[in-house]
Amino acid sequence: MSSITMKRILVTGAFGQIGSELTMALRRKYGNDNVVAVGHKTKPSEALLKSGPSGFVDVTKRDNVEESVKKHDIDTIYHMAAILSATGEKNPQLAWDVNMNGLYNILEIAREQKMVRVFWPSSIAAFGPETPRENTPQETILRPRTVYGVAKVAGELLCDYYFRRFELDVRGVRYPGIISSETPPGGGTTDYAVAIFYEAIKHKKYTCFVREDTVLPMMYMPDCIKATMDLMEADLSKLKHHADYNLSAMSFSAGELAAEIKRHIPEFTCEYKPDFRQAIADSWPRSIDDSASRKEWGWRPTYNLSMMTKDMLEKLSKRYSEGRL
Ligand code: SER
């Protein structure tokens, strides 16, 4: 499908870590007025508010979503609203409600309104301790231990069902941990890989909530945005999967990340005090085989650990020196 038919976009969770940068990228590509940013809790940035339409939507309230969809004549949804893994373990009932009922509402509205396309992200959290941890295959054991992961697996299956049963073109990737400089993540297990940069710049030290040898798959935001938009533009006839594409860019341990930051900030020190998030991290893969994404829609990441670290430190240092961090 060409970009001409994708013209009225709704982004849920638009004020969150990924949603905020995705909204701006979509506005640049499809036009400011064609991308409606809706969120629930997080406060949106001025840039996001000023550049296009926005509003309040609670995805667990079907009427709320429906109203926004009809008002703006939406034909494409990027459904980014979610409760992440660590917050999910503190409030599993809320996580299930937002992550599962939220997705169900979006899929049902998309089906009824005969929408062109829906994007919904899955995650490395769909995997569990029985999954092969190195170079995790596309087709593998999915027995997650977090409520967030359970909702991701159920969501992948539900999206597949909507594709087969109702011909709803719903697409998605299993995001690794996402590292970004604009909007901090909230309530995830991979949040340390973002927080470490803020603390390195502000205080030259960080206390990490996973062990030094904890390795997880990660990705820098520009690659995350590129993957999301490229998959949504891909030729449907080439796609053998729908909402469950493995996606990979880099893997490193918390200690390797700290060492890379230290190359730029020699005074930086990191200590390790694992908490309940260690067990979640230990249940996820260390690296991902994303050959299906590479083959079916041409995925290729740009950023590795050293490029990402350099760019993060440059961006955050600039904001810090301007008093905006
Ligand atoms: N980054 C997410 C989390 O840590 C995983 O999808 O919860």
Side-chain angles (χ1 to χ4, degrees), residues 78-99:
Y78 289 74
H79 176 42
M80 312 305 284
I83 302 282
L84 295 188
S85 58
T87 308
E89 289 316 290
K90 290 188 180 148
N91 194 343
Q93 294 76 13
L94 177 72
W96 184 259
D97 191 25
V98 172
N99 296 354

Side-chain angles (χ1 to χ4, degrees), residues 84-86 122-125 148 152 175-178 187-191 284:
L84 295 188
S85 58
S122 184
S123 157
I124 50 167
Y148 175 75
K152 289 301 186 193
Y175 283 140
I178 304 296
T189 301
T190 56
D191 291 14
W284 292 350

Side-chain angles (χ1 to χ4, degrees), residues 208-221:
C208 184
F209 58 76
V210 296
R211 278 191 326 268
E212 188 171 4
D213 64 355
T214 306
V215 176
L216 284 173
M218 301 278 179
M219 176 173 287
Y220 195 30
M221 186 61 91

Side-chain angles (χ1 to χ4, degrees), residues 13-15 18 26 29 65 87 101 122 126 130 148 154 163-164 170 184 206 219 240 252 258 272 312:
F15 313 141
I18 302 174
L26 291 169
K29 180 157 186 172
V65 184
T87 308
N101 295 331
S122 184
E130 290 96 3
Y148 175 75
F163 178 80
R164 286 175 219 289
V170 44
Y206 179 59
M219 176 173 287
K240 295 195 182 71
F252 50 76
Y272 301 87
M312 276 294 281

